[in-house]
Each structure stands twice: as C-alpha cells, then as structure tokens.
Amino acid sequence: MAFAFLLRRRDRALRGTRLPVPRGAGAVDLTVHDPVGLPMTGAEIAVRDQEGQEVMRGQTDPHGMFGATLMPGEYQLVVTADGFQPQRVPCQVLQGERTPLRPVALDLAPAPPAPGPGQWRIDPDHTSIRFSARHIGMAEIHGRFNRFEGALWIGERMADSRVEVNIDAASIDSGVKMRDEHLRSADFLDVAAYPAIQFVSERFVHKGGNRWSVQGVLHLHGVSRTVQLDTRYLGLGTGMFGETRTACTATTELHRQDFTLDYHKLLSRGIAAIGATMRIEMDIQAVPAGEPAAR
C-alpha cells in the first residue's frame, strides 16, 4: 500500500512538470513496469505510424516513464527490453491534448535453450572481433582483427563453463595501411615482441534473461589484466548444412594505460592516432568441436 501511494504521489508531481503541448500537435505518455510492478528504466520505445514507419525512438526515464510529442493521428508504440517480451500499444494522438496511455507491464521472455555440454569451436568465418576508438579526440576510427581462433567448454551448469580466444595481433585491420603498420609497431601493439593476444575465462555470471558477464584475464602487450565481457546469449540455430550453431554478442572497454601503452608518452611525441580507451565488440558463432563449420 505504501509503495502504491508513493507511485501515485510521484505521478502527480511529474504531471505538474510536463511541458505544454505545442500548437497543432498532440502528446502521449506511457509508463512501463516490470513483472512485479517496479518502474523499468531504459526500456526502448519505438513509435510507428499507420504505415509501419518509425517516426521516433526513445527510452523510459528512471521513473519508467516515456513521453512523445507527435502530429495528430494513429500510432503504435513498440516497447522492448532485454530479457522481456515486447509489447505493442496502439494510441491515437489528438491535437492539443496530452493522452495518458494504460501502463504496460512487461513479462519475462522465455530463456533460449542453452548449448549442450562439451567443447564448442568458434567459427572464424561467422565471427567478428571489432574495435573502435577516438582519433585525436575527434572522429572515431573502426577496425577489426582478421585472424583468431578459440573454443568454449560448456559445463553441465553454464556458470561452470570456460572460454579461450587467441588473436593474431598482426592481423589488426583499420582499413588504412600506413596506420595499421603503425599500430603493429613498438609504439602500440609491438607485434614482433607480443605476437598473440589471449583471453581466458572460467567465470560465467548470469545477469538475468539472456545477459551474462564473462569475467576473465586478457593477455595483451606483455601484461595480464582482468576484464569483463558484457555478453548477450542469442541461442541455438541450424546452419545451411544441418550443423548445430550457438551464438552470442559481447562488448567491453579497454584502457590503454592498463596494458603499458603509455598514452601520455605518445602524446608528448606527437602520436595521437588512437585514443586512450578502446571499445571492443564481438559477434560470435560456435559449432560443436566434432562438427565442421560450413561456409
């Protein structure tokens, strides 16, 4: 009862702070809750018109609320959040009016089937390891590593699984030959002294839904540091030739100074080709070790 009272009090306070509707337009307000009635922060809302075209996109605020100012007409709001089943909410926007929609409570999505226990080989033909970083503090540059191999050992419990990935440091590819040669030099990766980049993890932590934290050690440039991969498990599928496949995406952020790539020293020498932080993104597919990876 006390929680419901606080929600009503919060809603009344927020209504008092809403901006007026612009002339010739209308507005809608939507509140999104989780299955136990708590407000959902960061739920994605896509607003589509009658033809199915997306006219705007946004997220719910810390109170689980979303508001949109639109031209009068009929729309559909598509509500999505990781680990939850999406919902569609029809609405009609009236000129000069702000329309409060019925609150939406998202249901948990069924968990995708887990890969079977045993060794799974990462398929390099259907896997990518990409990076992005700021160039001289301005536009981002993007690249990838073209040669790597790895495997996952899936335990009886997913939390008892293990993964190992080995990357050929010299295969870095940012699309510019001169820059890639510099990245391979002693100023950066120093591939002559440290030809391999390795990640090993024996800690899989379930974060809810299809989200996992894969915590392990990254060996880079002669230094070993603990890193965490924010991982989204995508489930199982069947390839073109009947092979079983499993897939996930993973992201992390690396700081160059953690791996003795001295950013300030490079700046003092006028070298600022890559920023101090680097975002890593991976799309991974794997097949059972006994099955060939069809192209």
Side-chain angles (χ1 to χ4, degrees):
M1 290 294 291
F3 179 69
F5 169 76
L6 290 173
L7 285 178
R8 289 194 295 270
R9 185 175 178 181
R10 179 209 66 190
D11 291 343
R12 286 196 297 270
L14 290 173
R15 280 197 294 271
T17 63
R18 289 171 183 162
L19 297 175
V21 177
R23 182 182 299 231
V28 293
D29 294 307
L30 177 68
T31 301
V32 181
H33 295 155
D34 66 13
V36 298
L38 296 175
M40 288 196 64
T41 303
E44 293 279 348
I45 314 288
V47 182
R48 299 183 179 276
D49 61 19
Q50 286 182 286
E51 285 72 42
Q53 297 295 317
E54 185 175 303
V55 297
M56 72 169 297
R57 175 178 289 270
Q59 293 184 337
T60 54
D61 66 15
H63 303 286
M65 303 187 70
F66 170 82
T69 301
L70 301 160
M71 295 301 295
E74 294 184 1
Y75 297 90
Q76 191 172 73
L77 276 61
V78 183
V79 185
T80 59
D82 284 331
F84 295 86
Q85 297 189 52
Q87 284 204 32
R88 298 176 182 269
V89 182
C91 70
Q92 185 170 10
V93 176
L94 303 175
Q95 182 174 329
E97 295 188 17
R98 180 176 290 278
T99 304
L101 302 176
R102 184 186 298 274
V104 168
L106 296 183
D107 294 323
L108 288 171
Q119 184 178 353
W120 292 69
R121 180 171 57 85
I122 292 175
D123 177 9
D125 293 330
H126 296 90
T127 295
S128 64
I129 301 176
R130 305 180 303 278
F131 66 85
S132 60
R134 288 286 176 187
H135 178 249
I136 61 173
M138 298 176 67
E140 283 195 342
I141 63 168
H142 300 266
R144 58 184 293 156
F145 290 95
N146 292 324
R147 295 188 298 275
F148 51 84
E149 61 182 11
L152 300 97
W153 290 264
I154 305 299
E156 293 292 338
R157 296 189 316 139
M158 183 66 78
D160 297 328
S161 300
R162 178 175 179 268
V163 62
E164 181 176 321
V165 179
N166 293 285
I167 302 170
D168 180 356
S171 72
I172 193 169
D173 181 359
S174 68
V176 178
K177 182 179 179 181
M178 182 178 297
R179 181 167 60 210
D180 291 341
E181 290 175 351
H182 192 190
L183 292 174
R184 297 182 187 108
S185 75
D187 284 334
F188 289 94
L189 293 177
D190 196 1
V191 299
Y194 310 105
I197 301 170
Q198 184 185 55
F199 176 75
V200 178
S201 171
E202 295 182 352
R203 182 169 171 77
F204 285 50
V205 179
H206 191 213
K207 307 297 285 187
N210 61 353
R211 294 286 181 175
W212 290 79
S213 172
V214 179
Q215 301 168 3
V217 177
L218 179 65
H219 305 279
L220 169 63
H221 198 249
V223 177
S224 300
R225 289 283 188 269
T226 299
V227 300
Q228 175 176 291
L229 303 182
D230 295 321
T231 305
R232 182 184 178 196
Y233 174 57
L234 302 178
L236 295 170
T238 303
M240 293 181 61
F241 296 93
E243 75 279 6
T244 304
R245 291 182 170 272
T246 189
C248 69
T249 62
T251 62
T252 193
E253 188 174 89
L254 304 180
H255 300 273
R256 293 200 331 177
Q257 61 268 29
D258 290 343
F259 297 92
T260 66
L261 299 170
D262 192 336
Y263 181 63
H264 299 290
K265 181 179 178 181
L266 292 172
L267 284 179
S268 68
R269 295 169 52 195
I271 300 171
I274 300 292
T277 61
M278 183 178 296
R279 180 174 174 82
I280 308 297
E281 299 179 340
M282 291 166 278
D283 290 294
I284 299 169
Q285 286 194 33
V287 297
E291 293 188 20
R295 295 184 179 273

